[in-house]
Amino acid sequence: MKKTMSASLILCLLFQTSSALAAPSAKVVMTRGEVTKLKPGERDASPVKRGEVLPEDTSVLTGEKSVVRLRFADNSTMNLGPKSKVVISKMPEQKPNMINLLTGAIKAEVDKKENEKKKTKMIIKTRSAVMGVRGTKFQAVYNAQNKNTSLVTIEGKVAMVKKEKPVLKSAQDLTAEGPARVADSDAELDAFDKSLQESKEAVEVDAGKYSGVQESAQAPSQPVKIAPKQYEAMAKSMNSKNTAEEVMGTEDALGEIEALESAPKPGGFVDFETAIYVPPSEEALLDNETATFTAEEDMGDVDQATGDYIPPKGVKLDAKEGFVVDQEEIAKVASNEEKEEMQRTLAKMESVNKDVKKQVAASANKIEKKVEASRPWYRPDTHELQIEAVPYSEVLTLDDGEGKHEFYSESASEVILSWKQNWNQNFATSIRIGGVDYQFEQANDSEFIEEESDESEYFSIGAAYSLGEKWQLSLDLVSKTFYFAAPSRDSNSVEVLSDTFNYLSLGARYFLMDWKKVAVHASGNLLVFGEDSLYTFEGEEKVESFGFKGALEGDYSFSKNTGLAANLFLQEISHDVTTAHHAKFSRTSLGTGLNFFWKL
């Protein structure tokens, strides 16, 4: 009898032990800092210890500068970052694990080889989004203040769809309050899995890309590539061997950009504290190798160890207001040079804030520029000095009614100094002054007798306005010396005349592409003259002129302050002499321009 009772007791203990081991659970494999848990049925939280097993419906909370790593039965792992909270909702054997991310950030790695029966291996849900993981490495964040969910995939693919409001089906649902109204269940898990696979609004986020869900949006944003340097830092932190070049490489950058339609501008930073995507500025250049816009140095940086975004000095990113002034940083600034640099940064971030504001629930206020050395309204935001050398060749054709005469200048040139004032991201003015070096070198039948003029000037004032990222319009008032040649009526020689004409240059400039870190533009200018006077040896002649100039330009920046621009241009101008001789001059100019610029 005693043997029978002993055997029964042993069998009972074995059954209870095997049942406990078979129960769904997550094991704590690493913990650092202050990490607490609240198990089902418990009222008080307790510290999380390495090696312990957490059952379903356990809440895990991390403090500042704290982190915990969990391993699930299917060998998937999840890191919970600082100031984060999750509920390990469901861990069924034949269905996806479900994690409820209440606030903060998680990094997860799901082994797609484990349990091939499950198409979706893990479901991450937030208040605004549901993410389905099928075997990948990724980082997701939910900010409870602005209700944003942001996702970046490191390896593989992650599906995401906006979370619908719960459908209430019972009287108990109608009387429940708070979290009880959206209690996790097997039915809810199945509904999320089905939604990820069948919803037309679901997006699939590939490696190197970001997508986000805002409370006011109808669907997740179209996935776009993040800044390559942030991706590489994140990949390294998750022990991925992927590089930005491998993941983001493309042979059709412009095609990718055109296909994005209303998506955020690619190449920005993801802030994993606020769940906000910081797009590149309007001045950012397209990198043809990755189809991303290169984020400038003054747009911020990333932590090379974690991939976290670091805002530029003088500003911080607020979950509800976007970029705001960091008063503590400003208080530390002493030199006027640093204050002016910070002022320029604030102006740029205010422009970027227009895109950031669309992602936050509360309307963001403009960045208040409370820097001690604030800029008066009459002072430009930045200045730019330029020196340009413009060598060109020109053919001047004279039709005097008796025949056509052609005159050549093969080594004409202009040297121009300019001072450009950038008032904001879109509007700039400029003043240009220089000289014209011009000599006729060939005439018909080599009978040209060289004569020079003392007048050789160039002066202009103008303004330019950018229409988005592609187009720029300009208007310049120009005063320039033009040279004319005509056969002498008294001898076998050529008379050389010159005079200064004033005209308006109406221009349009279009961004074409980036080629090996060179920004390529095409431009066109209409040259509109008034009625001018040309003083010849026979008296004053009235001249009416009109012209066109087309150019192909390339800009290369050595740093954020210096660069070099080069262009190839073709210019056509006609001059009609409307008095006694009724002659017509046509000049065709072909040349290049080399421009060194320095931003102050």
Side-chain angles (χ1 to χ4, degrees):
M1 185 71 177
K2 291 182 179 180
K3 291 184 178 179
T4 304
M5 291 181 63
S6 299
S8 299
L9 181 59
I10 291 172
L11 288 173
C12 183
L13 290 173
L14 288 173
F15 176 77
Q16 289 179 351
T17 303
S18 62
S19 297
L21 292 173
S25 59
K27 185 177 181 180
V28 180
V29 295
M30 186 273 288
T31 180
R32 184 177 69 239
E34 183 183 355
V35 183
T36 58
K37 65 181 182 297
L38 184 65
K39 291 184 178 181
E42 293 183 350
R43 293 185 177 183
D44 299 322
S46 58
V48 171
K49 298 179 181 179
R50 180 179 177 182
E52 72 174 303
V53 175
L54 306 179
E56 282 185 343
D57 294 327
T58 298
S59 300
V60 181
L61 177 67
T62 59
E64 190 173 355
K65 298 181 180 179
S66 303
V67 65
V68 62
R69 180 180 299 164
L70 306 178
R71 186 181 300 278
F72 300 92
D74 63 359
N75 209 35
S76 300
T77 60
M78 180 183 73
N79 283 17
L80 185 62
K83 296 185 293 185
S84 302
K85 183 177 182 179
V86 298
V87 177
I88 307 170
S89 301
K90 289 290 179 183
M91 293 181 284
E93 289 187 12
Q94 301 300 323
K95 294 181 180 180
N97 297 326
M98 184 160 71
I99 308 298
N100 190 353
L101 177 59
L102 301 178
T103 187
I106 61 173
K107 291 184 179 181
E109 178 179 355
V110 177
D111 189 349
K112 63 182 178 181
K113 296 180 181 180
E114 291 283 340
N115 199 346
E116 295 291 347
K117 294 181 181 180
K118 296 189 294 184
K119 184 175 181 180
T120 301
K121 311 297 189 302
M122 180 184 289
I123 287 178
I124 310 290
K125 73 167 186 174
T126 70
R127 184 171 176 176
S128 60
V130 179
M131 291 159 276
V133 188
R134 298 170 183 172
T136 185
K137 295 181 179 181
F138 68 95
Q139 182 164 347
V141 60
Y142 174 71
N143 187 286
Q145 289 182 280
N146 56 30
K147 301 177 179 61
N148 280 6
T149 300
S150 289
L151 166 69
V152 174
T153 304
I154 304 302
E155 292 183 2
K157 300 175 184 291
V158 178
M160 183 160 69
V161 67
K162 180 166 183 175
K163 182 183 173 185
E164 299 295 334
K165 293 183 179 180
V167 179
L168 307 179
K169 297 182 178 180
S170 67
Q172 183 179 0
D173 290 333
L174 292 172
T175 58
E177 295 182 0
R181 295 174 65 95
V182 290
D184 299 323
S185 65
D186 289 340
E188 185 184 30
L189 179 59
D190 293 338
F192 285 150
D193 196 9
K194 183 178 180 181
S195 176
L196 287 164
Q197 297 181 40
E198 299 180 0
S199 174
K200 294 181 180 180
E201 294 182 344
V203 298
E204 201 167 52
V205 186
D206 299 323
K209 291 185 177 180
Y210 149 87
S211 179
V213 174
Q214 288 84 48
E215 190 177 40
S216 60
Q218 298 299 317
S221 62
Q222 186 176 351
V224 294
K225 295 175 180 177
I226 64 173
K229 65 179 180 180
Q230 185 176 31
Y231 172 77
E232 292 198 337
M234 292 177 64
K236 185 178 179 181
S237 73
M238 298 187 70
N239 297 316
S240 173
K241 296 181 180 179
N242 285 356
T243 65
E245 183 179 357
E246 294 170 344
V247 171
M248 301 182 179
T250 181
E251 295 181 356
D252 184 17
L254 288 179
E256 284 194 22
I257 298 300
E258 291 175 358
L260 292 178
E261 299 176 351
S262 60
K265 193 172 183 178
F269 299 112
V270 180
D271 182 66
F272 289 104
E273 184 171 346
T274 61
I276 289 174
Y277 177 76
V278 182
S281 70
E282 295 180 355
E283 299 176 354
L285 302 179
L286 178 64
D287 180 359
N288 272 333
E289 296 179 359
T290 61
T292 60
F293 288 89
T294 304
E296 302 93 325
E297 294 179 4
D298 52 3
M299 286 291 295
D301 206 348
V302 296
D303 186 319
Q304 292 302 310
T306 63
D308 293 336
Y309 172 62
I310 303 173
K313 187 175 182 180
V315 298
K316 58 184 179 180
L317 197 52
D318 184 85
K320 288 189 173 181
E321 297 184 356
F323 284 106
V324 296
V325 172
D326 188 341
Q327 298 293 349
E328 292 183 3
E329 280 292 330
I330 291 177
K332 299 175 184 178
V333 175
S335 69
N336 289 331
E337 183 178 350
E338 285 183 304
K339 290 175 182 177
E340 290 178 0
E341 178 66 25
M342 192 175 291
Q343 187 67 39
R344 290 192 289 269
T345 300
L346 295 177
K348 175 171 286 189
M349 300 317 291
E350 183 174 339
S351 175
V352 175
N353 222 23
K354 296 176 182 178
D355 294 316
V356 170
K357 284 194 295 183
K358 299 175 184 177
Q359 303 175 51
V360 295
S363 59
N365 298 323
K366 291 185 177 180
I367 293 180
E368 297 179 7
K369 300 181 180 178
K370 296 181 179 179
V371 183
E372 183 178 341
S374 60
R375 175 173 63 90
W377 66 268
Y378 53 82
R379 285 181 55 186
D381 184 24
T382 61
H383 299 269
E384 189 173 313
L385 297 179
Q386 302 177 9
I387 180 168
E388 183 176 13
V390 188
Y392 61 97
S393 299
E394 188 171 272
V395 178
L396 181 68
T397 303
L398 168 62
D399 185 353
D400 59 4
E402 299 178 0
K404 291 187 176 181
H405 311 272
E406 291 186 340
F407 310 96
Y408 304 88
S409 178
E410 296 181 348
S411 60
S413 64
E414 299 169 7
V415 177
I416 301 171
L417 297 175
S418 67
W419 171 35
K420 184 179 178 182
Q421 306 87 39
N422 298 303
W423 298 92
N424 52 46
Q425 295 295 315
N426 298 322
F427 183 67
T429 55
S430 62
I431 300 174
R432 310 175 75 198
I433 187 169
V436 180
D437 184 11
Y438 195 100
Q439 292 183 356
F440 287 107
E441 291 150 344
Q442 297 181 40
N444 293 346
D445 303 323
S446 301
E447 297 176 347
F448 174 70
I449 298 177
E450 184 176 348
E451 296 186 25
E452 297 186 9
S453 170
D454 294 333
E455 297 181 11
S456 56
E457 66 179 43
Y458 184 102
F459 177 79
S460 73
I461 56 174
Y465 187 81
S466 296
L467 300 175
E469 300 170 0
K470 296 284 188 178
W471 286 97
Q472 183 185 70
L473 303 180
S474 62
L475 174 64
D476 293 89
L477 176 60
V478 184
S479 177
K480 179 183 173 181
T481 299
F482 288 91
Y483 288 79
F484 298 84
S488 174
R489 298 182 181 275
D490 301 327
S491 62
N492 187 22
S493 62
V494 175
E495 297 176 351
V496 177
L497 306 169
S498 66
D499 216 327
T500 300
F501 289 177
N502 300 319
Y503 61 92
L504 285 176
S505 177
L506 307 175
R509 191 168 182 252
Y510 181 74
F511 171 77
L512 293 175
M513 59 180 290
D514 279 327
W515 178 76
K516 294 185 178 181
K517 299 184 179 181
V518 176
V520 181
H521 299 81
S523 65
N525 294 72
L526 289 178
L527 312 181
V528 182
F529 295 73
E531 186 178 73
D532 294 288
S533 298
L534 177 64
Y535 292 89
T536 70
F537 294 107
E538 298 182 0
E540 180 181 0
E541 305 276 7
K542 297 296 183 181
V543 180
E544 294 181 352
S545 307
F546 184 81
F548 172 82
K549 180 179 179 180
L552 186 66
E553 309 168 18
D555 303 333
Y556 179 81
S557 295
F558 301 115
S559 68
K560 67 177 183 179
N561 294 326
T562 59
L564 189 67
N567 65 74
L568 178 67
F569 69 87
L570 175 66
Q571 180 176 272
E572 292 275 355
I573 301 178
S574 63
H575 307 277
D576 290 332
V577 181
T578 59
T579 51
H581 297 110
H582 300 286
K584 181 176 181 178
F585 289 93
S586 298
R587 65 176 73 241
T588 302
S589 308
L590 178 65
T592 61
L594 194 63
N595 185 345
F596 177 79
F597 57 86
W598 179 34
K599 297 179 181 179
L600 302 176

PDB file of all heavy atoms in Angstrom, residues 21 25-32 37 39 47-55 68-71:
ATOM      1  N   LEU A  21       6.831  23.073 -17.101  1.00  0.00           N
ATOM      2  CA  LEU A  21       7.827  23.282 -18.153  1.00  0.00           C
ATOM      3  C   LEU A  21       7.169  23.509 -19.504  1.00  0.00           C
ATOM      4  O   LEU A  21       7.693  24.223 -20.351  1.00  0.00           O
ATOM      5  CB  LEU A  21       8.770  22.063 -18.225  1.00  0.00           C
ATOM      6  CG  LEU A  21       9.694  21.872 -17.016  1.00  0.00           C
ATOM      7  CD1 LEU A  21      10.450  20.549 -17.143  1.00  0.00           C
ATOM      8  CD2 LEU A  21      10.663  23.041 -16.876  1.00  0.00           C
ATOM      9  N   SER A  25       6.204  30.411 -21.781  1.00  0.00           N
ATOM     10  CA  SER A  25       7.019  31.253 -20.903  1.00  0.00           C
ATOM     11  C   SER A  25       8.129  31.911 -21.702  1.00  0.00           C
ATOM     12  O   SER A  25       8.431  31.521 -22.835  1.00  0.00           O
ATOM     13  CB  SER A  25       7.625  30.420 -19.764  1.00  0.00           C
ATOM     14  OG  SER A  25       8.439  29.383 -20.292  1.00  0.00           O
ATOM     15  N   ALA A  26       8.733  32.933 -21.103  1.00  0.00           N
ATOM     16  CA  ALA A  26       9.887  33.637 -21.676  1.00  0.00           C
ATOM     17  C   ALA A  26      10.965  33.678 -20.608  1.00  0.00           C
ATOM     18  O   ALA A  26      10.695  34.017 -19.456  1.00  0.00           O
ATOM     19  CB  ALA A  26       9.503  35.040 -22.115  1.00  0.00           C
ATOM     20  N   LYS A  27      12.176  33.369 -20.999  1.00  0.00           N
ATOM     21  CA  LYS A  27      13.275  33.312 -20.045  1.00  0.00           C
ATOM     22  C   LYS A  27      14.094  34.603 -20.098  1.00  0.00           C
ATOM     23  O   LYS A  27      14.388  35.125 -21.155  1.00  0.00           O
ATOM     24  CB  LYS A  27      14.183  32.120 -20.357  1.00  0.00           C
ATOM     25  CG  LYS A  27      15.304  31.917 -19.338  1.00  0.00           C
ATOM     26  CD  LYS A  27      16.118  30.678 -19.662  1.00  0.00           C
ATOM     27  CE  LYS A  27      17.221  30.473 -18.627  1.00  0.00           C
ATOM     28  NZ  LYS A  27      18.036  29.268 -18.923  1.00  0.00           N
ATOM     29  N   VAL A  28      14.449  35.101 -18.919  1.00  0.00           N
ATOM     30  CA  VAL A  28      15.293  36.293 -18.816  1.00  0.00           C
ATOM     31  C   VAL A  28      16.751  35.863 -18.975  1.00  0.00           C
ATOM     32  O   VAL A  28      17.274  35.116 -18.138  1.00  0.00           O
ATOM     33  CB  VAL A  28      15.089  36.997 -17.464  1.00  0.00           C
ATOM     34  CG1 VAL A  28      15.978  38.228 -17.373  1.00  0.00           C
ATOM     35  CG2 VAL A  28      13.629  37.363 -17.260  1.00  0.00           C
ATOM     36  N   VAL A  29      17.415  36.317 -20.038  1.00  0.00           N
ATOM     37  CA  VAL A  29      18.801  35.909 -20.280  1.00  0.00           C
ATOM     38  C   VAL A  29      19.796  37.023 -19.962  1.00  0.00           C
ATOM     39  O   VAL A  29      20.997  36.776 -19.855  1.00  0.00           O
ATOM     40  CB  VAL A  29      18.993  35.446 -21.748  1.00  0.00           C
ATOM     41  CG1 VAL A  29      18.176  34.198 -22.014  1.00  0.00           C
ATOM     42  CG2 VAL A  29      18.596  36.552 -22.723  1.00  0.00           C
ATOM     43  N   MET A  30      19.316  38.261 -19.792  1.00  0.00           N
ATOM     44  CA  MET A  30      20.213  39.362 -19.445  1.00  0.00           C
ATOM     45  C   MET A  30      19.389  40.505 -18.865  1.00  0.00           C
ATOM     46  O   MET A  30      18.290  40.788 -19.326  1.00  0.00           O
ATOM     47  CB  MET A  30      20.983  39.845 -20.682  1.00  0.00           C
ATOM     48  CG  MET A  30      22.045  40.907 -20.384  1.00  0.00           C
ATOM     49  SD  MET A  30      21.374  42.599 -20.395  1.00  0.00           S
ATOM     50  CE  MET A  30      21.081  42.842 -22.140  1.00  0.00           C
ATOM     51  N   THR A  31      19.928  41.139 -17.850  1.00  0.00           N
ATOM     52  CA  THR A  31      19.267  42.306 -17.277  1.00  0.00           C
ATOM     53  C   THR A  31      20.318  43.292 -16.797  1.00  0.00           C
ATOM     54  O   THR A  31      21.386  42.899 -16.313  1.00  0.00           O
ATOM     55  CB  THR A  31      18.333  41.920 -16.109  1.00  0.00           C
ATOM     56  OG1 THR A  31      17.724  43.102 -15.582  1.00  0.00           O
ATOM     57  CG2 THR A  31      19.081  41.201 -15.011  1.00  0.00           C
ATOM     58  N   ARG A  32      20.028  44.576 -16.964  1.00  0.00           N
ATOM     59  CA  ARG A  32      20.943  45.625 -16.511  1.00  0.00           C
ATOM     60  C   ARG A  32      20.128  46.809 -16.020  1.00  0.00           C
ATOM     61  O   ARG A  32      19.191  47.243 -16.672  1.00  0.00           O
ATOM     62  CB  ARG A  32      21.874  46.060 -17.645  1.00  0.00           C
ATOM     63  CG  ARG A  32      22.909  47.098 -17.189  1.00  0.00           C
ATOM     64  CD  ARG A  32      23.874  47.477 -18.305  1.00  0.00           C
ATOM     65  NE  ARG A  32      23.229  48.242 -19.356  1.00  0.00           N
ATOM     66  CZ  ARG A  32      23.182  47.866 -20.631  1.00  0.00           C
ATOM     67  NH1 ARG A  32      23.705  46.724 -20.996  1.00  0.00           N
ATOM     68  NH2 ARG A  32      22.584  48.615 -21.530  1.00  0.00           N
ATOM     69  N   LYS A  37       8.914  43.418 -12.805  1.00  0.00           N
ATOM     70  CA  LYS A  37       7.869  42.615 -13.462  1.00  0.00           C
ATOM     71  C   LYS A  37       6.625  42.612 -12.597  1.00  0.00           C
ATOM     72  O   LYS A  37       6.682  42.814 -11.374  1.00  0.00           O
ATOM     73  CB  LYS A  37       8.350  41.189 -13.673  1.00  0.00           C
ATOM     74  CG  LYS A  37       8.593  40.427 -12.363  1.00  0.00           C
ATOM     75  CD  LYS A  37       9.098  39.028 -12.612  1.00  0.00           C
ATOM     76  CE  LYS A  37       9.286  38.265 -11.290  1.00  0.00           C
ATOM     77  NZ  LYS A  37      10.313  38.875 -10.412  1.00  0.00           N
ATOM     78  N   LYS A  39       3.572  39.850 -12.447  1.00  0.00           N
ATOM     79  CA  LYS A  39       3.008  38.612 -12.970  1.00  0.00           C
ATOM     80  C   LYS A  39       1.488  38.601 -12.800  1.00  0.00           C
ATOM     81  O   LYS A  39       0.939  39.365 -11.997  1.00  0.00           O
ATOM     82  CB  LYS A  39       3.628  37.415 -12.241  1.00  0.00           C
ATOM     83  CG  LYS A  39       5.091  37.182 -12.571  1.00  0.00           C
ATOM     84  CD  LYS A  39       5.609  35.926 -11.877  1.00  0.00           C
ATOM     85  CE  LYS A  39       7.068  35.655 -12.241  1.00  0.00           C
ATOM     86  NZ  LYS A  39       7.581  34.430 -11.582  1.00  0.00           N
ATOM     87  N   PRO A  47      11.579  42.822  -8.646  1.00  0.00           N
ATOM     88  CA  PRO A  47      12.719  42.894  -9.568  1.00  0.00           C
ATOM     89  C   PRO A  47      12.798  41.658 -10.465  1.00  0.00           C
ATOM     90  O   PRO A  47      12.470  40.546 -10.047  1.00  0.00           O
ATOM     91  CB  PRO A  47      13.924  42.968  -8.621  1.00  0.00           C
ATOM     92  CG  PRO A  47      13.372  43.459  -7.328  1.00  0.00           C
ATOM     93  CD  PRO A  47      11.998  42.896  -7.237  1.00  0.00           C
ATOM     94  N   VAL A  48      13.237  41.887 -11.680  1.00  0.00           N
ATOM     95  CA  VAL A  48      13.473  40.798 -12.628  1.00  0.00           C
ATOM     96  C   VAL A  48      14.892  40.283 -12.431  1.00  0.00           C
ATOM     97  O   VAL A  48      15.834  41.060 -12.340  1.00  0.00           O
ATOM     98  CB  VAL A  48      13.279  41.277 -14.079  1.00  0.00           C
ATOM     99  CG1 VAL A  48      13.749  40.212 -15.063  1.00  0.00           C
ATOM    100  CG2 VAL A  48      11.810  41.614 -14.328  1.00  0.00           C
ATOM    101  N   LYS A  49      15.018  38.962 -12.357  1.00  0.00           N
ATOM    102  CA  LYS A  49      16.324  38.359 -12.154  1.00  0.00           C
ATOM    103  C   LYS A  49      16.718  37.522 -13.360  1.00  0.00           C
ATOM    104  O   LYS A  49      15.872  36.898 -14.002  1.00  0.00           O
ATOM    105  CB  LYS A  49      16.309  37.478 -10.901  1.00  0.00           C
ATOM    106  CG  LYS A  49      16.016  38.247  -9.617  1.00  0.00           C
ATOM    107  CD  LYS A  49      15.996  37.313  -8.420  1.00  0.00           C
ATOM    108  CE  LYS A  49      15.683  38.073  -7.136  1.00  0.00           C
ATOM    109  NZ  LYS A  49      15.643  37.175  -5.953  1.00  0.00           N
ATOM    110  N   ARG A  50      18.003  37.511 -13.636  1.00  0.00           N
ATOM    111  CA  ARG A  50      18.520  36.713 -14.741  1.00  0.00           C
ATOM    112  C   ARG A  50      18.246  35.234 -14.486  1.00  0.00           C
ATOM    113  O   ARG A  50      18.446  34.726 -13.385  1.00  0.00           O
ATOM    114  CB  ARG A  50      20.021  36.957 -14.896  1.00  0.00           C
ATOM    115  CG  ARG A  50      20.655  36.161 -16.029  1.00  0.00           C
ATOM    116  CD  ARG A  50      22.121  36.468 -16.134  1.00  0.00           C
ATOM    117  NE  ARG A  50      22.744  35.654 -17.171  1.00  0.00           N
ATOM    118  CZ  ARG A  50      24.042  35.670 -17.468  1.00  0.00           C
ATOM    119  NH1 ARG A  50      24.860  36.468 -16.779  1.00  0.00           N
ATOM    120  NH2 ARG A  50      24.511  34.912 -18.420  1.00  0.00           N
ATOM    121  N   GLY A  51      17.769  34.545 -15.518  1.00  0.00           N
ATOM    122  CA  GLY A  51      17.508  33.118 -15.429  1.00  0.00           C
ATOM    123  C   GLY A  51      16.088  32.765 -15.079  1.00  0.00           C
ATOM    124  O   GLY A  51      15.662  31.611 -15.269  1.00  0.00           O
ATOM    125  N   GLU A  52      15.290  33.699 -14.570  1.00  0.00           N
ATOM    126  CA  GLU A  52      13.921  33.358 -14.201  1.00  0.00           C
ATOM    127  C   GLU A  52      13.024  33.281 -15.437  1.00  0.00           C
ATOM    128  O   GLU A  52      13.329  33.824 -16.504  1.00  0.00           O
ATOM    129  CB  GLU A  52      13.361  34.348 -13.185  1.00  0.00           C
ATOM    130  CG  GLU A  52      13.030  35.716 -13.701  1.00  0.00           C
ATOM    131  CD  GLU A  52      12.339  36.567 -12.637  1.00  0.00           C
ATOM    132  OE1 GLU A  52      11.283  36.133 -12.126  1.00  0.00           O
ATOM    133  OE2 GLU A  52      12.875  37.642 -12.306  1.00  0.00           O
ATOM    134  N   VAL A  53      11.901  32.593 -15.278  1.00  0.00           N
ATOM    135  CA  VAL A  53      10.965  32.354 -16.372  1.00  0.00           C
ATOM    136  C   VAL A  53       9.704  33.177 -16.134  1.00  0.00           C
ATOM    137  O   VAL A  53       9.135  33.155 -15.039  1.00  0.00           O
ATOM    138  CB  VAL A  53      10.624  30.859 -16.470  1.00  0.00           C
ATOM    139  CG1 VAL A  53       9.557  30.630 -17.529  1.00  0.00           C
ATOM    140  CG2 VAL A  53      11.869  30.051 -16.797  1.00  0.00           C
ATOM    141  N   LEU A  54       9.270  33.898 -17.175  1.00  0.00           N
ATOM    142  CA  LEU A  54       8.089  34.766 -17.074  1.00  0.00           C
ATOM    143  C   LEU A  54       6.932  34.142 -17.844  1.00  0.00           C
ATOM    144  O   LEU A  54       7.061  33.828 -19.024  1.00  0.00           O
ATOM    145  CB  LEU A  54       8.404  36.155 -17.635  1.00  0.00           C
ATOM    146  CG  LEU A  54       9.622  36.876 -17.038  1.00  0.00           C
ATOM    147  CD1 LEU A  54       9.800  38.229 -17.717  1.00  0.00           C
ATOM    148  CD2 LEU A  54       9.481  37.049 -15.531  1.00  0.00           C
ATOM    149  N   PRO A  55       5.774  33.981 -17.219  1.00  0.00           N
ATOM    150  CA  PRO A  55       4.613  33.394 -17.901  1.00  0.00           C
ATOM    151  C   PRO A  55       3.860  34.424 -18.744  1.00  0.00           C
ATOM    152  O   PRO A  55       4.181  35.611 -18.741  1.00  0.00           O
ATOM    153  CB  PRO A  55       3.757  32.910 -16.728  1.00  0.00           C
ATOM    154  CG  PRO A  55       4.065  33.883 -15.640  1.00  0.00           C
ATOM    155  CD  PRO A  55       5.517  34.234 -15.797  1.00  0.00           C
ATOM    156  N   VAL A  68      16.579  44.818 -20.620  1.00  0.00           N
ATOM    157  CA  VAL A  68      16.400  43.404 -20.314  1.00  0.00           C
ATOM    158  C   VAL A  68      16.247  42.636 -21.623  1.00  0.00           C
ATOM    159  O   VAL A  68      15.676  43.152 -22.588  1.00  0.00           O
ATOM    160  CB  VAL A  68      15.165  43.181 -19.397  1.00  0.00           C
ATOM    161  CG1 VAL A  68      13.888  43.622 -20.091  1.00  0.00           C
ATOM    162  CG2 VAL A  68      15.061  41.727 -18.967  1.00  0.00           C
ATOM    163  N   ARG A  69      16.785  41.397 -21.644  1.00  0.00           N
ATOM    164  CA  ARG A  69      16.671  40.556 -22.832  1.00  0.00           C
ATOM    165  C   ARG A  69      15.909  39.295 -22.477  1.00  0.00           C
ATOM    166  O   ARG A  69      16.230  38.626 -21.483  1.00  0.00           O
ATOM    167  CB  ARG A  69      18.039  40.190 -23.388  1.00  0.00           C
ATOM    168  CG  ARG A  69      17.981  39.293 -24.647  1.00  0.00           C
ATOM    169  CD  ARG A  69      19.368  38.967 -25.146  1.00  0.00           C
ATOM    170  NE  ARG A  69      20.058  40.191 -25.505  1.00  0.00           N
ATOM    171  CZ  ARG A  69      21.387  40.267 -25.673  1.00  0.00           C
ATOM    172  NH1 ARG A  69      22.149  39.195 -25.467  1.00  0.00           N
ATOM    173  NH2 ARG A  69      21.942  41.412 -26.014  1.00  0.00           N
ATOM    174  N   LEU A  70      14.913  38.969 -23.286  1.00  0.00           N
ATOM    175  CA  LEU A  70      14.084  37.782 -23.079  1.00  0.00           C
ATOM    176  C   LEU A  70      14.279  36.820 -24.246  1.00  0.00           C
ATOM    177  O   LEU A  70      14.452  37.241 -25.390  1.00  0.00           O
ATOM    178  CB  LEU A  70      12.608  38.168 -22.981  1.00  0.00           C
ATOM    179  CG  LEU A  70      12.227  39.229 -21.934  1.00  0.00           C
ATOM    180  CD1 LEU A  70      10.743  39.524 -22.017  1.00  0.00           C
ATOM    181  CD2 LEU A  70      12.617  38.779 -20.544  1.00  0.00           C
ATOM    182  N   ARG A  71      14.234  35.527 -23.942  1.00  0.00           N
ATOM    183  CA  ARG A  71      14.292  34.499 -24.980  1.00  0.00           C
ATOM    184  C   ARG A  71      13.019  33.654 -24.888  1.00  0.00           C
ATOM    185  O   ARG A  71      12.648  33.175 -23.805  1.00  0.00           O
ATOM    186  CB  ARG A  71      15.519  33.617 -24.816  1.00  0.00           C
ATOM    187  CG  ARG A  71      15.695  32.621 -25.973  1.00  0.00           C
ATOM    188  CD  ARG A  71      16.925  31.744 -25.773  1.00  0.00           C
ATOM    189  NE  ARG A  71      18.132  32.545 -25.709  1.00  0.00           N
ATOM    190  CZ  ARG A  71      18.793  33.012 -26.774  1.00  0.00           C
ATOM    191  NH1 ARG A  71      18.334  32.749 -27.979  1.00  0.00           N
ATOM    192  NH2 ARG A  71      19.881  33.729 -26.624  1.00  0.00           N
TER     193      ARG A  71
END
